[in-house]
């Protein structure tokens, strides 16, 4: 490009004196370039905010080099081509301004130290740091309290008041294991005079392996976008990690090991790194390699690489090459950088975004690159990794992150010392997530009264005032309704073994596979496709029932009733079902009934197994399928009752060794877990999402979800007030409550209040509740009472 004689003369004359950066160059850049290329703006990936950013260039590479008068920047500011000239709008640079800019470049682009058009974005510390803890105030020695007490004192704010015992019990149970306490648990905790009972409660809850895993599955399913059904699972374009994830939670796998097993996966854990292979045309940013980049960075580092997977991010410092660098580590073939779905012609180099800690070898095989990435990600000096997960846990328990939002870890925390205290606790505990939860939950900060935000609260300037009230998640809400009413479903969908860590297996499964009596002997026939059989067994229990559970399976489908109450169901013999039937078994005579159906297109093997354990008066009684059970062709009615004229015959034990070995082994594991003391009721987090859970905010998990909305949407409000799904659940719960014997309507009302809210109803509430239920409780009255309690904000929030 040829410059005009005037411009050349001005440039030559100006060489006699150095360009004044502050008074001559900055005004030019501010006038013509700042609108698109300074502050948070970096059109085309070019930022002029600092000298370093200007020299780094745009998405297409460097635009200017010190001393290089052929630099692209100098050419485009004087171009006569309307499509090329910069800036594209307005009169552009004058010849004198262009000459001054050229002079500045020729002299080496001197830049005043520390100058930026806008203060550089906050860059969090990468490596761990150990803050100096303030002195303990009034004996509050917990590290979290020492940091927060100093913060509130400096801010001139009152220290949050402690929560009541009942509020703390309900909060801790819902936060740590997702379950409401039973009325018996509430009574025992409130009556306990020990000063350390809150700390002991936290330790006791976190030791409940199965309940902990049941609850935290939802958190990790959201974050790792794992589910039991949905896009990709049918056509093989996606893979569950359910079994691996559940076992990791039950066994409290160290978090660094947990993450390494996801980044360098086994066949059981590879579903996370594999992502979703979308059918049809998708953008380049949704290729599985880019999904890996996005998932690893978001889940474990709190980095948003989604924008950077298409172009340099507009909101933070991550660039297209950063997203592709992580993707190339995972990729099995070379990757070309694609910007906004337009190939750039440049190849991505495998790299991870924090080279200060080391770098992967781009020439290494893929498996080795992944191992190197996992080591860098979980490196002891990677404070970003540690801070990200403890920030997520603080958010779950306290209602707001120390860094907020939790996926924006480039954001400055409101208290850096608090974040580092939590991160250091993770490392000290050898990456034990339960230890971090205990650390938070045993602080006075967690034990404080909850802050309830007003609808018009200003969230722009956060001020710590204690834990915040949180909405029940969809899973917690459904679990709570089941817990209050006892109207649990018959099965779970997650293929997991709910046994506490380290539980030794029992000697062997007692239950034997049974079918009709023509299935025994030398001439045993194959049952016809669609053949149905009903089985029953009567048994007597001596003394009050302390605990009872049943495990059952059928090749192929079954429903199980205990004393007329449907307690379990299944449609896959490889997926046995376990149910807590303590409320259904009684002292004296009992009856268990099972309706079984053989599936398939032609005659095939069929069998039903059940093993019921009852603890009563200190003795263990086992009722297991055997030849002592009876069968009939008559089918039970919907309530499990049988025709009086049904013809009963002795059942036959089906002798086909090894045919159902996997199901029997799994049933044995389930019995082991139940005997280990775990609660056995189905949990919403282990079921496929239904319409009610979707309405209440459970995501479809095709994308990572790290937080769910804390505000009630219009759709949720409508469904909570008159939705058919919740209505059916409440009606079923009312019917189930009426099967129990109550001394009075007041007794039933007290049970509902204590179960749902961990408190007795007030006299006024009790009067209204008894009026709803009536002197002779009817299903409609109990339904009204349940609706009234379940619609209370007190029920729907964790406070």
């Amino acid at each position: 490009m040829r410059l005009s004689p005037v411009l050349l003369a001005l440039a030559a004359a100006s060489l006699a004196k150095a360009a004044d950066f502050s008074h001559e160059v900055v005004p030019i850049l501010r006038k013509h370039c700042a609108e698109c290329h300074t502050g948070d703006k970096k059109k085309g990936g070019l930022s002029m905010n600092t000298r370093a950013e200007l020299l780094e260039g745009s998405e297409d590479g460097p635009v200017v080099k010190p001393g290089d008068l052929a630099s692209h920047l100098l050419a485009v500011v004087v171009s006569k081509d309307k499509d090329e000239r910069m800036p594209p709008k307005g009169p552009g640079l004058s010849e004198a301004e262009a000459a001054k800019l050229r002079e500045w470049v020729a002299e080496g682009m001197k830049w005043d130290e520390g100058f930026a058009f806008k203060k550089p974005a906050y860059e969090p510390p990468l490596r761990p740091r150990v803050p100096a803890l303030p002195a303990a105030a009034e004996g509050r020695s917990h590290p979290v309290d020492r940091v927060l007490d100093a913060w509130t004192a400096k801010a001139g704010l009152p220290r949050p008041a402690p929560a009541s015992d009942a509020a703390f019990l309900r909060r801790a149970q819902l936060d740590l294991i997702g379950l409401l306490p039973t009325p018996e648990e509430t009574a025992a905790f409130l009556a306990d005079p020990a000063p350390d009972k809150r700390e002991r409660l936290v330790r006791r809850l976190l030791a409940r392996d199965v309940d902990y895993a049941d609850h935290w599955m939802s958190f990790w399913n959201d974050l790792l976008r794992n589910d039991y059904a949905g896009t990709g699972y049918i056509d093989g374009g996606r893979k569950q990690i359910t079994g691996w994830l559940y076992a990791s939670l039950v066994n409290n796998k160290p978090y660094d090991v947990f993450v390494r097993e996801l980044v360098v996966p086994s066949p059981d854990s590879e579903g996370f790194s594999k992502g979703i292979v979308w059918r049809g045309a998708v953008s380049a940013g949704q290729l599985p390699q880019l999904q890996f980049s996005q998932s690893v960075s978001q889940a474990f580092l709190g980095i948003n690489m989604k924008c950077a997977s298409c172009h340099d991010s507009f909101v933070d410092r991550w660039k297209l090459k950063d997203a592709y660098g992580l993707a190339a580590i995972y990729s099995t073939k070379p990757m070309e950088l694609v910007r906004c779905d337009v190939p750039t012609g440049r190849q991505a180099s495998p790299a991870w975004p924090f080279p200060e800690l080391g770098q992967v070898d781009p020439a290494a095989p893929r498996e080795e690159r992944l191992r190197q990435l996992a080591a860098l990600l979980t490196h002891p000096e990677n404070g970003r990794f540690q801070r990200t997960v403890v920030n997520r846990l603080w958010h779950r328990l306290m209602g707001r992150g120390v860094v907020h939002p939790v996926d924006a870890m480039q954001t400055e925390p409101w208290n850096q010392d608090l974040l580092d205290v939590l991160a250091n606790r993770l490392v000290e505990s050898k990456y034990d997530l339960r230890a971090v939860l205990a650390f938070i939950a045993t602080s006075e900060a967690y034990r404080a009264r909850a802050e309830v935000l007003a609808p018009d609260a200003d969230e722009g300037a956060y001020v710590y005032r204690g834990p915040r009230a949180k909405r029940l998640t969809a899973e917690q809400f459904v679990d709570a309704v089941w817990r209050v009413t006892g109207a649990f479903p018959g099965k779970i969908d997650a293929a997991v073994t709910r046994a506490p860590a380290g539980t030794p297996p029992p000697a062997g499964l007692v239950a034997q596979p049974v079918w009709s009596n023509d299935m025994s002997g030398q001439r045993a026939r194959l049952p016809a496709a669609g053949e149905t059989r009903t089985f029953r067994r009567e048994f007597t229990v001596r003394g009050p029932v302390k605990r009872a559970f049943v495990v059952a399976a059928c090749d192929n489908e079954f429903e199980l009733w205990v004393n007329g109450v449907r307690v379990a169901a299944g449609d896959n013999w490889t997926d046995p079902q376990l149910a807590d039937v303590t409320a259904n078994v009684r002292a004296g005579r009992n009856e268990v009934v099972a309706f079984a159906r053989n599936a398939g297109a032609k005659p095939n093997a069929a069998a039903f197994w059940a093993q019921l354990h009852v603890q009563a008066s200190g003795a263990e009684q086992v009722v297991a399928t055997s030849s002592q059970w009876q069968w009939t062709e008559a089918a039970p009615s919907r309530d499990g009752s049988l025709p009086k004229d049904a013809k009963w015959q002795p059942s036959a034990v089906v002798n086909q060794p090894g045919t159902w070995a996997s199901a029997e082994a799994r049933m044995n594991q389930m019995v082991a877990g139940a005997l280990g003391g775990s609660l056995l009721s189905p949990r919403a987090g282990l079921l496929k999402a239904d319409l009610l859970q979707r309405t209440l905010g459970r995501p479809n998990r095709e994308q990572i979800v790290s937080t769910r909305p804390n505000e009630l949407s219009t759709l949720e409000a409508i469904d909570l007030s008159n939705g058919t799904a919740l209505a059916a659940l409440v009606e079923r719960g009312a019917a189930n409550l009426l099967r129990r014997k109550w001394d009075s309507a007041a007794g039933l009302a007290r049970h509902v209040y204590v179960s749902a809210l961990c408190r007795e109803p007030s006299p006024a509430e009790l009067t209204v509740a008894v009026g709803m239920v009536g002197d002779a409780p009817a299903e409609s009255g109990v339904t009204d009472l349940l609706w009234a309690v379940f619609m209370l904000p007190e029920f729907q929030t964790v406070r």
Side-chain angles (χ1 to χ4, degrees):
M1 180 179 297
R2 297 183 62 188
L3 302 179
S4 71
V6 175
L7 188 57
L8 286 171
L10 287 169
S14 67
L15 291 177
K17 64 183 183 65
D20 186 327
F21 175 73
S22 295
H23 298 92
E24 295 177 320
V25 178
V26 169
I28 296 171
L29 297 179
R30 196 184 300 280
K31 177 182 177 181
H32 297 286
C33 309
E35 183 178 349
C36 297
H37 300 291
T38 64
D40 295 328
K41 304 287 185 64
K42 43 184 174 181
K43 191 172 182 180
L46 175 62
S47 173
M48 296 182 177
N49 205 48
T50 66
R51 186 176 190 271
E53 288 176 302
L54 176 55
L55 292 177
E56 187 173 345
S58 71
E59 294 171 348
D60 294 317
V63 298
V64 63
K65 296 180 181 179
D68 184 2
L69 297 182
S71 293
H72 181 66
L73 174 66
L74 297 178
V76 296
V77 297
V78 296
S79 175
K80 301 302 181 183
D81 186 337
K82 292 182 179 180
D83 293 329
E84 181 185 47
R85 197 202 75 177
M86 290 292 164
K89 298 178 181 179
L93 275 67
S94 68
E95 289 190 340
E97 289 171 329
K100 181 58 66 177
L101 205 59
R102 185 177 178 84
E103 171 193 331
W104 175 64
V105 172
E107 294 171 347
M109 297 175 57
K110 295 178 182 177
W111 193 290
D112 290 351
E113 185 177 352
F115 174 82
F117 283 92
K118 183 179 179 181
K119 181 182 177 183
Y122 171 76
E123 181 64 29
L126 175 61
R127 299 181 187 276
R129 58 183 288 271
V130 180
L133 290 177
E138 301 176 20
R140 290 161 59 98
S141 59
H142 194 292
V144 166
D145 297 318
R146 290 168 68 176
V147 171
L148 291 179
D149 288 350
W151 188 93
T152 53
K154 184 177 180 180
L157 296 172
R159 187 183 299 161
S164 68
D165 279 348
F168 177 80
L169 170 65
R170 190 174 188 271
R171 178 193 303 168
Q173 289 247 166
L174 286 168
D175 280 347
L176 299 179
I177 62 170
L179 290 173
L180 290 171
T182 64
E184 295 76 17
E185 288 171 330
T186 298
F189 184 77
L190 298 182
D192 187 350
D196 66 340
K197 68 179 183 180
R198 294 191 179 192
E199 181 174 346
R200 286 190 290 108
L201 172 68
V202 168
R203 308 288 181 192
R204 190 164 61 247
L205 292 174
L206 289 171
R208 287 164 60 169
D209 295 333
V210 172
D211 295 327
Y212 170 86
D214 288 348
H215 172 54
W216 286 90
M217 275 293 286
S218 294
F219 171 87
W220 288 107
N221 278 339
D222 283 4
L223 191 61
L224 303 178
R225 66 177 190 177
N226 179 64
D227 216 333
Y228 317 127
T231 300
Y233 287 124
I234 294 176
D235 63 14
R238 189 178 180 189
K239 186 177 179 181
Q240 287 191 43
I241 59 170
T242 301
W244 174 88
L245 177 56
Y246 193 87
S248 297
L249 296 176
V250 166
N251 293 292
N252 201 28
K253 184 174 292 178
Y255 183 62
D256 57 341
V257 177
F258 177 96
V259 171
R260 286 196 291 271
E261 290 182 5
L262 289 169
V263 176
V264 189
S266 68
D268 292 332
S269 63
E270 67 181 351
F272 170 75
S273 59
K274 180 178 180 179
I276 301 175
V277 180
W278 298 98
R279 289 189 291 178
V282 296
S283 69
Q286 281 301 302
L287 294 175
Q289 300 94 319
L290 269 300
Q291 292 179 42
F292 173 84
S293 174
Q294 296 161 13
S295 297
V296 168
S297 55
Q298 181 179 355
F300 308 134
L301 297 171
I303 293 174
N304 176 7
M305 284 292 186
K306 292 180 181 176
C307 291
S309 296
C310 188
H311 49 71
D312 287 355
S313 175
F314 299 142
V315 296
D316 53 37
R317 71 178 180 88
W318 307 110
K319 296 184 177 295
L320 187 69
K321 65 180 180 64
D322 296 317
Y324 270 82
L326 276 173
I329 294 174
Y330 179 77
S331 182
T332 57
K333 58 185 179 181
M335 294 188 68
E336 180 183 8
L337 271 69
V338 178
R339 184 177 68 244
C340 298
D341 284 336
V342 178
T344 66
R346 291 183 287 145
Q347 293 296 307
S349 178
W352 105 294
F354 297 105
E356 303 95 313
L357 299 179
Q359 192 52 273
V360 299
D361 178 2
R366 176 180 180 270
E367 292 304 311
E368 178 57 27
R369 295 198 304 268
L370 289 174
R371 280 191 288 270
Q372 292 174 6
L373 172 62
L376 289 166
L377 189 61
T378 60
H379 195 290
E381 289 297 299
N382 185 8
R384 180 65 168 264
F385 172 73
Q386 303 152 14
R387 295 182 185 106
T388 299
V389 70
V390 298
N391 188 56
R392 295 191 191 282
L393 299 183
W394 179 269
H395 172 267
R396 289 287 293 199
L397 267 58
M398 300 296 285
R400 195 183 193 281
V402 184
V403 175
H404 200 81
V406 294
D407 283 335
M409 290 300 288
Q410 290 293 117
T411 308
E412 188 168 5
W414 65 266
N415 193 315
Q416 181 69 54
D417 286 353
L418 173 60
L419 187 61
D420 285 316
V421 164
L422 298 172
N424 293 340
R425 178 59 185 141
L426 176 68
V427 177
E428 292 161 3
S429 68
K430 298 182 179 179
Y431 293 88
D432 183 340
L433 295 182
R434 287 197 220 182
V436 175
L437 290 170
F439 185 66
I440 297 170
T442 54
S443 68
E444 296 297 335
Y446 179 77
R447 300 176 186 179
R449 186 179 302 161
E451 176 191 17
V452 180
L453 290 181
D456 58 349
D458 178 14
E459 277 291 83
Y462 173 70
V463 177
Y464 166 75
R465 290 189 174 90
R468 283 188 167 178
K470 309 177 289 288
R471 275 184 62 194
L472 292 177
T473 65
E475 294 89 341
Q476 286 174 321
F477 183 94
V478 173
D479 280 340
V481 173
W482 291 344
R483 185 86 153 164
V484 172
T485 64
F488 297 98
K491 60 173 289 186
I492 62 173
D493 296 309
V496 298
T497 299
R498 300 170 74 193
T503 303
L509 192 68
V510 178
Q512 297 174 293
V514 297
W515 203 252
S516 48
N517 55 9
D518 53 357
M519 289 288 291
S520 60
Q522 295 267 332
R523 298 183 180 180
R525 67 175 182 86
L526 287 176
E531 181 174 287
T532 60
R533 294 290 184 261
T534 301
F535 302 93
R536 77 171 181 182
R537 175 74 192 276
E538 294 182 347
F539 61 97
T540 301
V541 175
R542 293 178 175 82
V545 176
K546 295 183 178 179
R547 190 164 178 268
F549 69 87
V550 64
V551 61
C554 182
D555 186 353
N556 294 90
E557 302 173 20
F558 78 94
E559 293 183 19
L560 186 71
W561 287 265
V562 174
N563 292 327
V565 178
R566 184 175 180 269
V567 296
D571 57 8
N572 184 345
W573 68 268
T574 65
D575 187 21
Q577 298 299 313
L578 182 65
D580 187 334
V581 294
T582 305
N584 310 105
V585 180
R586 58 199 175 214
R589 179 186 170 277
N590 293 265
E591 182 182 54
V592 56
V593 173
F595 176 65
R597 179 178 181 273
N598 185 31
K602 59 183 180 180
N604 63 93
F608 169 74
W609 310 256
Q611 187 162 311
L612 191 152
H613 288 247
V614 181
Q615 294 177 356
S617 300
E620 177 85 12
Q621 183 175 352
V622 180
V623 179
T625 47
S626 68
S627 57
Q628 294 180 341
W629 284 52
Q630 296 176 306
W631 74 275
T632 182
E633 292 184 349
S637 61
R638 293 184 63 184
D639 64 359
S641 61
L642 291 158
K644 293 183 179 179
D645 59 352
K647 297 179 180 179
W648 293 99
Q649 305 175 59
S651 296
V653 174
V654 181
N655 185 20
Q656 293 192 12
T659 303
W660 301 288
S662 61
E664 293 169 344
R666 184 127 183 267
M667 290 175 71
N668 205 43
Q669 288 179 313
M670 290 177 164
V671 170
L675 293 175
S678 63
L679 284 174
L680 308 171
S681 304
R683 296 289 296 271
L686 302 180
L687 270 67
K688 297 174 184 176
D690 57 11
L691 179 60
L692 177 59
Q693 290 198 54
R694 291 280 191 225
T695 300
L696 293 176
R698 176 166 162 175
N700 62 18
R701 293 169 178 155
E702 291 175 1
Q703 299 295 331
I704 286 177
V705 176
S706 55
T707 56
R708 299 186 190 178
N710 204 40
E711 300 77 27
L712 192 68
S713 71
T714 302
L715 175 61
E716 291 167 339
I718 293 172
D719 242 32
L720 283 175
S721 60
N722 60 12
T724 57
L726 181 57
L729 177 57
V730 172
E731 289 171 5
R732 191 165 70 248
N736 191 68
L737 283 173
L738 282 175
R739 293 189 182 97
R740 300 175 59 178
K741 295 181 179 179
W742 301 99
D743 295 335
S744 62
L748 190 158
R750 288 192 177 95
H751 166 82
V752 170
Y753 268 83
V754 175
S755 298
L757 308 175
C758 294
R759 67 171 178 82
E760 291 277 348
S762 68
E765 288 172 327
L766 185 60
T767 299
V768 172
V770 170
M772 287 180 177
V773 173
D775 294 333
E779 187 173 320
S780 59
V782 178
T783 299
D784 289 343
L785 172 61
L786 292 176
W787 270 111
V789 172
F790 293 157
M791 292 304 104
L792 290 173
E794 184 182 357
F795 174 79
Q796 295 183 23
T797 54
V798 183
R799 300 191 178 190

